[in-house]
Amino acid sequence: MKKVIALLMLAMIAFMPSISAQAIGDVNGDDSISIADVVYLFKHRNVGLDVGDLNCDNSVNVVDVVYLFKNYDTFRDPVVFAENFEMDPHWNEGYCYVKDSVGNEFVLLKEGATDPQIEGATVLNLPLTSLVTMTNAPIVATADILNIDSCYDSIKGMPQTYTKYSDELLQRYNEGLIINSGTISEMDYDAVVSTDPDIVFLSYLTSQDTMEDKLNEMGILSARCHVYLEPTFIGRTEWIKYAAAFWGDENSEIIEEYFQETWQKRNELVRTTSTADDYPEVISFSLGSTYMSIYGAQQYYNRMVNEFGGEFIFNDIPGTASTRIDKEIFYERAQDSDVCIMRSFVEVTTVEELLALNPDFEDFESFKNGKFYVSCSDYYIQETKDPIGFMEDYARMIHPELFSNGDSNLKYHYKIQ
């Protein structure tokens, strides 16, 4: 029965929009996606899994041909996964169009290029020289992925608390090259004005609605980035494309390649875990004082559990919102789950530290069988900078038997033993 359920889950994955750019949909390698790729795949089913296994079922067959035939028009779209921004790059014509999470439109115009005159869009001339960000993702995370001086140089302001998550930005902050722009809930407007920013990046938080209104009054351009509201992990990761666009076409090309590597790794992990004979019950949660906090089944942590061959034990709770569950009710299901993944803002690396937080964990099946894991305290930062490593952690925690070294070399989670 579990095998049947898993196959149904894989079928659902297959019919989600799953090809994000030409590096995967371009089967014949002609730098475009068209009916020619469908014909090529029909005639050449001996292409590698990374090229032809479009539905991630660990084989290349006529199902992939049909899948490509039905979707090749959609596969041309430069953004597929992210639901909270739009992007239409025309770098060969000298510009890129982007729309943020609340409908603000921008034309990012290369030096010397002609303004395409898109109604309602604000033109920003590249390269930008002064950015302020009130959120880590996507600007700070993308800068660290690119690791290019010109990108770091443009960041003039950010909350001091975020600087500790980037060695380069922390050094620049300590040298006075980056100012403290306030906190995620309260902006230092005088400090922001002193940077003469081209644009200020804001998050989804309601506290930053007020910031947007105030910046508008001051005539300072802002963009809303609802990164953390993306329902899928790949969609959240895709925001690096949005950030890179503000640093121009060359950086966009680097990030596109990075995103493709991330997407291909996701597909590889889906294929690997689809070979499992059993599908363990998994609980992914955060610990409170009198309650446990979980996200709904459609939130990206729990989707990863289901994609990578596990069964999230609260799949009956819909949506993506965080829900507080009384401990006793939580225990009824979680105590017998095969795998526990606890997200924590404090470092918990040993049995003693875990049981000091909650001695009841000692009675959990996952604790007894050695499959109780705790995130590193800055997991929410690391998952934006290294999505490949973060995804692989999840796959290894759910199915260590399918990977060399099993779960012994996790990057962002501790195995409690």
Side-chain angles (χ1 to χ4, degrees):
M1 174 60 72
K2 285 188 174 182
K3 187 69 174 179
V4 172
I5 292 174
L7 289 173
L8 288 173
M9 288 168 56
L10 282 172
M12 291 173 63
I13 293 170
F15 288 100
M16 290 162 40
S18 59
I19 304 304
S20 80
Q22 295 179 0
I24 291 181
D26 181 17
V27 180
N28 65 0
D30 66 355
D31 293 327
S32 66
I33 300 174
S34 66
I35 192 66
D37 293 290
V38 179
V39 175
Y40 187 91
L41 187 59
F42 178 75
K43 293 180 177 180
H44 303 88
R45 243 94 41 86
N46 59 342
V47 297
L49 289 175
D50 60 329
V51 175
D53 184 17
L54 303 179
N55 66 354
C56 298
D57 65 355
N58 213 37
S59 65
V60 179
N61 53 38
V62 71
V63 177
D64 297 291
V65 178
V66 174
Y67 186 72
L68 182 57
F69 176 71
K70 289 182 176 180
N71 296 285
Y72 70 84
D73 279 331
T74 303
F75 296 168
R76 296 193 187 101
D77 294 342
V79 174
V80 173
F81 298 101
E83 297 183 2
N84 291 295
F85 78 89
E86 295 179 21
M87 181 174 169
D88 189 10
H90 292 266
W91 292 119
N92 60 330
E93 300 172 43
Y95 75 95
C96 180
Y97 166 85
V98 294
K99 181 189 288 188
D100 74 1
S101 301
V102 297
N104 295 315
E105 299 174 89
F106 307 97
V107 168
L108 310 178
L109 193 66
K110 292 172 61 175
E111 187 174 3
T114 301
D115 180 0
Q117 300 290 324
I118 297 176
E119 185 178 357
T122 300
V123 175
L124 282 169
N125 293 304
L126 302 181
L128 303 184
T129 58
S130 181
L131 309 178
V132 173
T133 180
M134 300 302 294
T135 176
N136 171 67
I139 297 299
V140 176
T142 308
D144 275 342
I145 292 170
L146 287 166
N147 193 26
I148 296 172
D149 282 343
S150 60
C151 298
Y152 287 127
D153 290 343
S154 69
I155 300 175
K156 303 299 186 184
M158 60 188 296
Q160 186 273 336
T161 186
Y162 287 135
T163 61
K164 64 184 178 181
Y165 297 120
S166 168
D167 292 340
E168 179 65 27
L169 292 175
L170 178 59
Q171 179 179 334
R172 289 167 179 260
Y173 178 82
N174 290 334
E175 293 173 353
L177 300 175
I178 296 175
I179 57 96
N180 181 3
S181 57
T183 68
I184 59 173
S185 58
E186 188 172 350
M187 180 181 288
D188 184 337
Y189 294 99
D190 289 337
V192 171
V193 169
S194 72
T195 69
D196 190 21
D198 297 309
I199 192 167
V200 178
F201 292 92
L202 304 173
S203 76
Y204 72 97
L205 296 173
T206 55
S207 61
Q208 299 201 1
D209 294 346
T210 302
M211 297 180 191
E212 181 183 15
D213 293 339
K214 180 66 174 178
L215 291 171
N216 285 338
E217 291 176 10
M218 299 168 67
I220 297 176
L221 197 63
S222 64
R224 299 302 296 269
C225 305
H226 295 183
V227 182
Y228 294 92
L229 298 184
E230 293 293 341
T232 66
F233 188 70
I234 291 294
R236 176 178 173 176
T237 301
E238 196 160 28
W239 273 87
I240 61 178
K241 294 183 183 181
Y242 178 93
F246 285 85
W247 286 312
D249 57 337
E250 292 183 359
N251 293 307
S252 288
E253 289 177 7
I254 295 170
I255 286 298
E256 178 62 40
E257 183 177 346
Y258 183 88
F259 181 79
Q260 289 300 324
E261 292 173 359
T262 303
W263 171 235
Q264 290 184 33
K265 183 62 177 182
R266 175 263 183 196
N267 290 349
E268 176 189 317
L269 292 171
V270 170
R271 284 192 288 267
T272 298
T273 53
S274 72
T275 65
D277 294 325
D278 65 310
Y279 301 87
E281 294 183 333
V282 181
I283 177 59
S284 171
F285 71 103
S286 300
L287 175 67
S289 56
T290 60
Y291 62 87
M292 301 297 185
S293 179
I294 67 166
Y295 289 108
Q298 282 73 52
Q299 200 271 349
Y300 58 82
Y301 292 127
N302 303 327
R303 284 192 174 194
M304 275 201 291
V305 168
N306 292 327
E307 281 190 351
F308 295 157
E311 183 180 350
F312 179 55
I313 64 171
F314 287 101
N315 269 332
D316 56 330
I317 296 181
T320 61
S322 177
T323 301
R324 293 183 177 183
I325 298 180
D326 179 80
K327 281 186 175 182
E328 297 305 317
I329 296 174
F330 177 86
Y331 290 163
E332 288 181 9
R333 297 197 202 181
Q335 201 161 12
D336 295 327
S337 63
D338 303 297
V339 180
C340 275
I341 303 172
M342 187 175 87
R343 295 179 297 279
S344 176
F345 292 116
V346 297
E347 294 295 304
V348 178
T349 63
T350 67
V351 169
E352 292 74 20
E353 290 170 340
L354 178 67
L355 297 183
L357 286 177
N358 186 352
D360 294 337
F361 287 146
E362 190 170 20
D363 297 325
F364 277 43
E365 180 60 30
S366 55
F367 180 89
K368 297 174 184 177
N369 69 19
K371 298 190 73 174
F372 198 114
Y373 308 94
V374 181
S375 72
C376 62
S377 60
D378 62 347
Y379 69 93
Y380 59 99
I381 299 294
Q382 300 305 330
E383 69 188 43
T384 62
K385 293 195 292 187
D386 183 16
I388 289 177
F390 198 82
M391 287 190 299
E392 186 162 342
D393 268 12
Y394 260 68
R396 286 178 177 271
M397 289 186 290
I398 297 168
H399 282 294
E401 76 281 2
L402 299 178
F403 298 88
S404 61
N405 299 319
D407 58 4
S408 61
N409 293 314
L410 302 174
K411 296 185 71 173
Y412 305 115
H413 295 81
Y414 302 106
K415 180 178 181 178
I416 304 301
Q417 55 187 353

